[in-house]
Amino acid sequence: MYTTELQKNAQPTAVEDPARVAEFEARIARDEFIEPKDWMPEAYRRTLVRQMSQHAHSEIVGMLPEGNWITRAPSLRRKAVLLAKVQDEGGHGLYIYAAAETLGTSREQMVDALHSGKAKYSTIFNYPTLTWADIGAIGWLVDGAAIMNQVPLQRASYGPYARAMVRICKEESFHQRQGFEIMMGLAAGTAAQKRMAQDALNRWWWPSLMMFGPPDDNSPNSAQSMRWRIKRETNDELRQKFVDVTVPQAEAIGLTIPDPDLTWNEARGAYDFGAIDWDEFYAVVRGEGPTAKERLKARNDAWNEGAWVREAATAHAAKRARKAEAA
């Protein structure tokens, strides 16, 4: 999942039946899937809508940093692969929007919240893609971080969400390999190409670590999501896993992680790494990222320009429904 957690813990709006709550909690403890027609606490429903809509928004907005490189990719093969990847991201958004709709919200409500700025998406997509190496860094680092988040979501307690993640994780694995291949090729190329790859790694490393969300002691939603088994691992646990997996990959292709405090901790069996600039994270969440306004404008423009398509599709569906009723 692409994570941006700032909202306060979801609280029930009314006193709920203690027996129903107890049975719900027992089902969660038994690792059963909760399905759309099952009773669930209102706070659980709202937490899922927040998380799933944010995830879907991130997939859709995430098409933008890479989309403008499709025509500029350095070969026909690279163009075709990147086009397929961007198409996948659009599909991921649609899967998750559809799953969220089973909770009683509508796609129109979720999209309106995104376009109005009420809903969040991952901070990572508010950074610019300056060179072709950025496309490699996004695939390797951003999609690599997404995989760390998303694999545990295949065991999320809400059935439609968990099932949607199965295909998404398979496709994200392809995206990560695509990005690593780009970076590996650049790192093994000319001196200028290797410098370009290193520059992209320098700029995307810290935003990628921020993707996992605030530290556990400042993450208002994590504890409840863990208890409800929407999440299976905390932000800091996932961040550590990402660092431990990614550092050896960088070393293997001759690139340097831009962190002077990065050291292997033999006692922990993991890497110690430097402090993250959380002021930057919160500034980007507030809409102060380098391309935040550009991203939101692009989504609003696309929505408005595509209105005639939605209207035509709605009219066609209504026409077919009338014919079916008349038959």
Side-chain angles (χ1 to χ4, degrees):
M1 182 191 64
Y2 300 106
T3 306
T4 301
E5 297 184 276
L6 287 178
Q7 296 167 323
K8 295 180 180 179
N9 288 328
Q11 299 294 332
T13 56
V15 176
E16 291 169 323
D17 183 347
R20 277 187 156 181
V21 172
E23 174 55 25
F24 173 83
E25 298 284 358
R27 292 188 62 190
I28 294 292
R30 293 194 297 267
D31 259 345
E32 294 181 15
F33 281 135
I34 305 300
E35 299 297 343
K37 293 184 178 180
D38 295 340
W39 184 88
M40 63 189 74
E42 182 59 26
Y44 177 81
R45 185 188 305 276
R46 290 207 310 272
T47 296
L48 279 168
V49 169
R50 176 195 58 77
Q51 178 170 319
M52 292 170 70
S53 63
Q54 176 183 297
H55 188 169
H57 298 332
S58 298
E59 298 283 0
I60 298 299
V61 176
M63 300 166 70
L64 297 173
E66 296 175 300
N68 65 2
W69 275 95
I70 292 173
T71 58
R72 296 184 286 164
S75 70
L76 180 60
R77 174 178 175 270
R78 295 294 189 191
K79 286 179 171 65
V81 172
L82 183 56
L83 181 62
K85 182 191 175 186
V86 172
Q87 179 177 279
D88 283 349
E89 304 294 8
H92 297 174
L94 293 177
Y95 298 155
I96 302 168
Y97 280 137
E101 285 180 308
T102 65
L103 291 160
T105 188
S106 71
R107 193 167 308 180
E108 289 73 17
Q109 288 174 309
M110 289 184 281
V111 170
D112 180 67
L114 168 65
H115 292 167
S116 66
K118 293 178 181 177
K120 303 298 182 184
Y121 57 87
S122 178
T123 57
I124 197 73
F125 300 120
N126 283 334
Y127 291 87
T129 45
L130 304 179
T131 70
W132 172 247
D134 288 40
I135 304 305
I138 288 175
W140 174 34
L141 301 175
V142 175
D143 293 310
I147 290 168
M148 286 293 173
N149 263 314
Q150 292 171 356
V151 167
L153 289 175
Q154 295 175 102
R155 298 182 291 119
S157 59
Y158 189 57
Y161 196 18
R163 290 187 288 272
M165 295 314 304
V166 173
R167 177 169 178 172
I168 290 174
C169 285
K170 291 178 181 178
E171 293 177 350
E172 291 289 1
S173 295
F174 152 72
H175 299 168
Q176 193 272 345
R177 290 195 295 273
Q178 172 252 7
F180 187 70
E181 183 198 24
I182 292 173
M183 296 295 275
M184 182 169 58
L186 291 171
T190 66
Q193 287 173 325
K194 185 170 183 177
R195 284 196 299 272
M196 184 168 66
Q198 183 64 57
D199 174 67
L201 172 56
N202 293 347
R203 287 183 288 105
W204 288 92
W205 175 252
W206 293 106
S208 295
L209 296 191
M210 296 175 195
M211 277 182 65
F212 296 95
D216 293 344
D217 59 4
N218 195 31
S219 180
N221 296 301
S222 282
Q224 184 65 81
S225 292
M226 292 283 289
R227 189 168 71 84
W228 279 330
R229 301 191 183 181
I230 298 171
K231 291 179 64 171
R232 295 284 182 158
E233 295 176 81
T234 71
N235 297 350
D236 287 338
E237 288 170 347
L238 292 168
R239 193 170 6 252
Q240 183 68 61
K241 282 188 175 183
F242 174 75
V243 172
D244 293 344
V245 166
T246 309
V247 171
Q249 293 173 349
E251 293 174 347
I253 60 176
L255 297 179
T256 303
I257 299 295
D259 181 358
D261 296 324
L262 184 71
T263 56
W264 176 253
N265 186 320
E266 192 65 41
R268 293 199 307 119
Y271 284 95
D272 293 333
F273 53 94
I276 295 170
D277 184 353
W278 291 113
D279 288 341
E280 177 183 335
F281 170 79
Y282 287 113
V284 177
V285 170
R286 290 193 302 268
E288 299 169 17
T291 62
K293 293 180 180 177
E294 175 186 329
R295 299 286 185 249
L296 205 53
K297 182 179 184 302
R299 289 308 315 151
N300 274 282
D301 288 349
W303 181 259
N304 295 332
E305 291 167 8
W308 69 273
V309 179
R310 297 191 300 276
E311 291 167 4
T314 300
H316 180 66
K319 183 177 180 180
R320 291 187 63 181
R322 289 194 296 271
K323 283 185 177 179
E325 290 175 0

